[in-house]
Amino acid sequence: MKNRSIVLAFVLTLWLGACREKEVGPDLTTPLTGQFGVSYLIVNLSAGVSNSGPGANATVELRRKNNNTLTVTVKINDAQIQISDQFDATVTPTSLDNYHLRTPGLRSVYEVTYTTSDRSTGKSYINLFNDGTIRGSFGYVNPSDLMISLGFN
């Protein structure tokens, strides 16, 4: 009886493991993950007021959602502006031959497309260097009608 229980548990484990969805393609997102300080420019479209800076409390976090999708979390908590936005970004590799900025140590360039609200979509690039450094940018209009431009490295 004890042996049957063990065999049944083993078979169930194999069966449940086989039913999981498998991710297709290479893992593009793991080397791009991390939390980075940002420089930003924010324009309030309705009031015409802008804020900018390399805020001490301004970050973007890139987390792996799957092989080709990052979850982007933007947090700016400075004296004049507080922002907390989150959206998914699809990552696609691009050819270095088509990329005209020849920065020493550049290993890979990724095109990143994203939708942040009903009326804001964007396309940008993230650069990965041989030493693991990441540089990139995002620009979007958030649901509060703020136009946000971010640069990070």
Coordinates of all heavy atoms in Angstrom, one line a residue, residues 48-94:
G48 N 0.6 72.7 -18.2 CA 1.8 73.2 -18.9 C 2.9 73.4 -17.9 O 3.9 74.1 -18.2
V49 N 2.9 72.7 -16.8 CA 4.0 72.8 -15.8 C 4.9 71.6 -16.0 O 4.5 70.5 -16.3 CB 3.4 72.8 -14.4 CG1 4.5 72.8 -13.3 CG2 2.4 73.9 -14.2
S50 N 6.2 71.8 -15.8 CA 7.2 70.7 -16.0 C 8.1 70.6 -14.7 O 8.3 71.6 -14.0 CB 8.0 70.9 -17.2 OG 8.9 72.0 -17.1
N51 N 8.6 69.4 -14.5 CA 9.5 69.1 -13.4 C 10.6 68.2 -14.1 O 10.3 67.4 -14.9 CB 8.8 68.3 -12.3 CG 7.8 69.1 -11.6 OD1 8.1 70.1 -11.0 ND2 6.6 68.6 -11.6
S52 N 11.8 68.3 -13.6 CA 12.9 67.5 -14.1 C 13.9 67.3 -13.0 O 13.9 68.0 -12.0 CB 13.5 68.1 -15.3 OG 14.2 69.3 -15.0
G53 N 14.8 66.3 -13.3 CA 15.8 66.1 -12.3 C 16.4 64.7 -12.3 O 15.7 63.8 -12.9
P54 N 17.5 64.5 -11.7 CA 18.0 63.2 -11.5 C 17.7 62.8 -10.0 O 18.5 62.7 -9.2 CB 19.5 63.3 -11.6 CG 19.8 64.8 -11.2 CD 18.5 65.5 -11.6
G55 N 16.4 62.8 -9.7 CA 15.9 62.7 -8.3 C 16.6 61.6 -7.5 O 16.8 60.5 -8.0
A56 N 16.9 61.9 -6.3 CA 17.4 60.9 -5.4 C 16.4 59.8 -5.1 O 16.8 58.6 -4.9 CB 17.8 61.6 -4.1
N57 N 15.2 60.1 -5.2 CA 14.1 59.1 -5.0 C 13.4 58.7 -6.3 O 12.2 58.5 -6.3 CB 13.2 59.6 -3.9 CG 13.8 59.8 -2.6 OD1 14.6 58.9 -2.1 ND2 13.6 60.9 -2.0
A58 N 14.1 58.7 -7.4 CA 13.5 58.4 -8.7 C 14.1 57.1 -9.2 O 15.3 57.0 -9.4 CB 13.7 59.5 -9.6
T59 N 13.3 56.0 -9.4 CA 13.8 54.8 -9.9 C 12.9 54.1 -10.9 O 11.7 54.5 -11.0 CB 13.9 53.7 -8.7 OG1 12.7 53.5 -8.2 CG2 14.9 54.2 -7.6
V60 N 13.5 53.3 -11.7 CA 12.7 52.4 -12.6 C 13.2 51.0 -12.2 O 14.4 50.7 -12.1 CB 12.9 52.7 -14.1 CG1 14.3 52.5 -14.6 CG2 12.0 51.9 -14.9
E61 N 12.3 50.0 -12.1 CA 12.6 48.7 -11.8 C 12.1 47.8 -13.0 O 11.0 47.9 -13.4 CB 11.9 48.2 -10.5 CG 12.3 46.7 -10.2 CD 11.6 46.2 -8.9 OE1 10.8 47.0 -8.3 OE2 11.9 45.1 -8.5
L62 N 13.0 47.0 -13.5 CA 12.7 46.0 -14.6 C 12.7 44.6 -14.0 O 13.7 44.2 -13.5 CB 13.7 46.1 -15.7 CG 14.0 47.5 -16.3 CD1 15.0 47.5 -17.3 CD2 12.7 48.1 -16.8
R63 N 11.5 44.0 -14.0 CA 11.4 42.6 -13.5 C 11.0 41.7 -14.7 O 10.1 42.1 -15.5 CB 10.3 42.5 -12.4 CG 10.8 43.0 -11.1 CD 9.7 42.9 -10.1 NE 8.7 43.8 -10.6 CZ 7.5 43.9 -10.1 NH1 7.1 43.2 -9.1 NH2 6.6 44.7 -10.6
R64 N 11.5 40.5 -14.7 CA 11.2 39.5 -15.7 C 9.8 39.0 -15.4 O 9.4 38.5 -14.4 CB 12.2 38.4 -15.6 CG 12.0 37.3 -16.6 CD 12.9 36.1 -16.3 NE 12.8 35.1 -17.4 CZ 11.9 34.2 -17.5 NH1 10.9 34.2 -16.6 NH2 11.9 33.3 -18.5
K65 N 8.9 39.1 -16.5 CA 7.6 38.5 -16.4 C 7.7 37.1 -17.1 O 7.1 36.1 -16.7 CB 6.6 39.4 -17.1 CG 5.2 38.9 -17.0 CD 4.2 39.9 -17.5 CE 2.8 39.4 -17.3 NZ 1.8 40.4 -17.7
N66 N 8.3 37.1 -18.3 CA 8.6 35.8 -19.0 C 9.7 36.1 -20.0 O 10.4 37.1 -19.8 CB 7.3 35.3 -19.8 CG 6.7 36.3 -20.8 OD1 7.5 37.0 -21.5 ND2 5.4 36.4 -20.8
N67 N 10.0 35.2 -20.9 CA 11.2 35.3 -21.7 C 11.3 36.6 -22.5 O 12.4 37.0 -22.8 CB 11.2 34.1 -22.7 CG 11.8 32.8 -22.1 OD1 12.3 32.9 -20.9 ND2 11.7 31.7 -22.7
N68 N 10.2 37.1 -22.9 CA 10.3 38.3 -23.7 C 9.4 39.5 -23.2 O 9.1 40.4 -23.9 CB 9.9 38.0 -25.2 CG 8.4 37.7 -25.3 OD1 7.7 37.3 -24.4 ND2 7.9 37.9 -26.5
T69 N 9.1 39.5 -21.9 CA 8.3 40.6 -21.3 C 8.9 41.0 -20.0 O 9.1 40.1 -19.1 CB 6.8 40.1 -21.1 OG1 6.3 39.6 -22.4 CG2 6.0 41.3 -20.7
L70 N 9.0 42.3 -19.8 CA 9.5 42.9 -18.6 C 8.3 43.6 -18.0 O 7.5 44.2 -18.7 CB 10.6 43.9 -18.8 CG 11.9 43.4 -19.3 CD1 12.8 44.6 -19.7 CD2 12.6 42.7 -18.1
T71 N 8.2 43.6 -16.6 CA 7.3 44.5 -15.9 C 8.1 45.7 -15.5 O 9.1 45.5 -14.8 CB 6.6 43.8 -14.7 OG1 5.9 42.6 -15.2 CG2 5.7 44.7 -13.9
V72 N 7.7 46.9 -15.9 CA 8.4 48.1 -15.6 C 7.6 48.8 -14.5 O 6.4 49.1 -14.6 CB 8.4 49.0 -16.9 CG1 9.2 50.3 -16.6 CG2 9.1 48.2 -18.0
T73 N 8.3 49.2 -13.4 CA 7.7 49.9 -12.3 C 8.5 51.2 -12.2 O 9.7 51.2 -12.0 CB 7.8 49.2 -11.0 OG1 7.1 47.9 -11.2 CG2 7.1 49.9 -9.9
V74 N 7.8 52.4 -12.3 CA 8.4 53.7 -12.3 C 7.9 54.3 -10.9 O 6.7 54.4 -10.6 CB 7.9 54.6 -13.4 CG1 8.5 56.0 -13.3 CG2 8.3 54.0 -14.8
K75 N 8.9 54.8 -10.2 CA 8.6 55.5 -8.9 C 9.4 56.7 -8.8 O 10.7 56.7 -8.9 CB 8.9 54.6 -7.7 CG 7.9 53.4 -7.6 CD 8.1 52.7 -6.3 CE 7.0 51.5 -6.3 NZ 7.0 50.8 -5.2
I76 N 8.7 57.8 -8.7 CA 9.4 59.1 -8.5 C 8.7 59.7 -7.2 O 7.5 60.0 -7.2 CB 9.3 60.1 -9.7 CG1 9.9 59.4 -10.9 CG2 9.9 61.4 -9.4 CD1 9.7 60.1 -12.2
N77 N 9.5 60.0 -6.2 CA 9.0 60.5 -5.0 C 9.9 61.7 -4.6 O 10.7 61.6 -3.6 CB 8.9 59.5 -3.9 CG 8.2 59.9 -2.7 OD1 7.5 60.9 -2.7 ND2 8.4 59.2 -1.6
D78 N 9.8 62.8 -5.3 CA 10.6 63.9 -5.0 C 9.8 65.0 -4.4 O 8.6 64.9 -4.3 CB 11.3 64.5 -6.3 CG 12.5 63.6 -6.7 OD1 12.9 62.7 -5.9 OD2 12.9 63.7 -7.9
A79 N 10.4 66.1 -4.0 CA 9.7 67.2 -3.3 C 8.5 67.7 -4.0 O 7.4 68.0 -3.4 CB 10.7 68.3 -2.9
Q80 N 8.6 67.8 -5.4 CA 7.5 68.5 -6.1 C 6.6 67.5 -6.9 O 5.5 67.9 -7.3 CB 8.1 69.4 -7.1 CG 8.8 70.6 -6.5 CD 9.3 71.6 -7.5 OE1 9.0 71.5 -8.7 NE2 10.0 72.6 -7.0
I81 N 7.0 66.2 -7.0 CA 6.3 65.3 -7.9 C 6.3 63.9 -7.3 O 7.4 63.5 -6.8 CB 6.8 65.3 -9.3 CG1 5.8 64.6 -10.2 CG2 8.1 64.8 -9.5 CD1 4.8 65.4 -10.9
Q82 N 5.2 63.2 -7.3 CA 5.1 61.8 -6.9 C 4.4 61.0 -8.0 O 3.3 61.3 -8.3 CB 4.3 61.7 -5.6 CG 5.0 62.2 -4.3 CD 5.0 63.7 -4.2 OE1 4.0 64.3 -4.5 NE2 6.1 64.3 -3.8
I83 N 5.1 60.0 -8.5 CA 4.6 59.2 -9.6 C 4.8 57.7 -9.1 O 5.9 57.3 -8.6 CB 5.5 59.4 -10.9 CG1 5.4 60.8 -11.3 CG2 5.0 58.4 -12.0 CD1 4.2 61.2 -12.0
S84 N 3.9 56.9 -9.4 CA 4.0 55.4 -9.3 C 3.2 54.8 -10.4 O 2.0 54.7 -10.4 CB 3.4 55.0 -7.9 OG 3.6 53.6 -7.7
D85 N 3.9 54.3 -11.4 CA 3.3 53.7 -12.6 C 3.9 52.3 -12.8 O 5.0 52.1 -12.5 CB 3.6 54.6 -13.9 CG 2.9 55.9 -13.8 OD1 1.8 56.0 -13.2 OD2 3.4 56.9 -14.4
Q86 N 3.1 51.5 -13.5 CA 3.6 50.1 -13.8 C 3.0 49.7 -15.1 O 1.8 50.0 -15.4 CB 3.2 49.1 -12.7 CG 3.8 47.8 -12.9 CD 3.5 46.9 -11.7 OE1 2.4 46.7 -11.3 NE2 4.6 46.3 -11.2
F87 N 3.8 49.1 -16.0 CA 3.3 48.6 -17.2 C 4.2 47.4 -17.7 O 5.4 47.3 -17.2 CB 3.2 49.7 -18.3 CG 4.5 50.5 -18.5 CD1 5.5 50.1 -19.4 CD2 4.7 51.6 -17.7 CE1 6.6 50.8 -19.6 CE2 5.9 52.4 -17.9 CZ 6.8 52.0 -18.8
D88 N 3.8 46.6 -18.7 CA 4.5 45.6 -19.3 C 5.2 46.1 -20.6 O 4.6 46.9 -21.3 CB 3.7 44.3 -19.6 CG 3.3 43.6 -18.3 OD1 3.9 43.8 -17.2 OD2 2.3 42.8 -18.3
A89 N 6.4 45.6 -20.8 CA 7.1 45.9 -22.0 C 7.6 44.7 -22.7 O 8.2 43.8 -22.1 CB 8.3 46.8 -21.7
T90 N 7.4 44.6 -24.0 CA 7.8 43.4 -24.8 C 9.2 43.7 -25.4 O 9.4 44.8 -26.0 CB 6.8 43.2 -26.0 OG1 5.5 42.9 -25.4 CG2 7.2 41.9 -26.8
V91 N 10.1 42.7 -25.2 CA 11.5 42.9 -25.6 C 11.8 42.1 -26.9 O 11.4 40.9 -27.0 CB 12.4 42.4 -24.5 CG1 13.9 42.4 -24.9 CG2 12.1 43.2 -23.2
T92 N 12.4 42.7 -27.9 CA 12.8 42.1 -29.1 C 14.2 42.4 -29.4 O 14.6 43.6 -29.4 CB 11.9 42.6 -30.3 OG1 10.5 42.5 -29.9 CG2 12.2 41.8 -31.6
P93 N 15.0 41.4 -29.7 CA 16.4 41.7 -30.0 C 16.5 42.4 -31.4 O 15.7 42.2 -32.3 CB 17.1 40.3 -30.1 CG 16.0 39.4 -30.3 CD 14.8 40.0 -29.8
T94 N 17.5 43.3 -31.5 CA 17.8 44.0 -32.8 C 19.2 43.7 -33.2 O 20.0 43.3 -32.3 CB 17.5 45.5 -32.7 OG1 18.5 46.0 -31.8 CG2 16.1 45.8 -32.3

